[in-house]
Amino acid sequence: GKIVITGGGISNAVYEISIPNFKIQLKKPMKQTRKEHGSVYVNKAVYVLGGYDTFSSNFLSTCEKFNPDKNEWTFIKNMNIA
């Protein structure tokens, strides 16, 4: 199994941790810096939703999808409210 850690603080960094050997890999960063966001793994993709942008002091309605196989982030449809 693997764990994906996304953002936090003033970061858009993404780390993937392999559970069996505790190998840590730096992945492509999210497109949006965010903290206090939601995340979920569904159908072989990681989705991050909303959160807070430390730099602009705004709540976020933006959402992103991460494809671990391609190491690629794409913006998806925004939430209606932040």
Side-chain angles (χ1 to χ4, degrees), residues 6-13 29-37 48 50-56 58-60 62 64 75:
T6 57
I10 58 170
S11 176
N12 63 344
M30 294 182 292
K31 293 181 177 286
Q32 173 78 51
T33 300
R34 62 182 77 228
K35 69 176 187 176
E36 300 176 25
H37 55 282
V48 294
Y52 185 78
D53 182 341
T54 305
F55 296 111
S56 69
N58 290 322
F59 289 101
L60 301 170
T62 57
E64 300 180 52
F75 279 115

Side-chain angles (χ1 to χ4, degrees), residues 9-81:
I10 58 170
S11 176
N12 63 344
V14 178
Y15 298 93
E16 183 180 81
I17 303 171
S18 176
I19 299 303
N21 59 10
F22 203 71
K23 181 180 176 188
I24 301 173
Q25 285 187 316
L26 182 63
K27 296 298 199 174
K28 190 170 186 178
M30 294 182 292
K31 293 181 177 286
Q32 173 78 51
T33 300
R34 62 182 77 228
K35 69 176 187 176
E36 300 176 25
H37 55 282
S39 62
V40 63
Y41 179 81
V42 177
N43 296 327
K44 299 183 181 181
V46 176
Y47 295 84
V48 294
L49 316 159
Y52 185 78
D53 182 341
T54 305
F55 296 111
S56 69
S57 299
N58 290 322
F59 289 101
L60 301 170
S61 61
T62 57
C63 303
E64 300 180 52
K65 177 183 176 181
F66 180 63
N67 180 328
D69 294 332
K70 294 182 179 179
N71 192 28
E72 178 179 87
W73 285 96
T74 53
F75 279 115
I76 58 174
K77 186 176 180 180
N78 288 356
M79 297 184 295
N80 291 334
I81 57 174

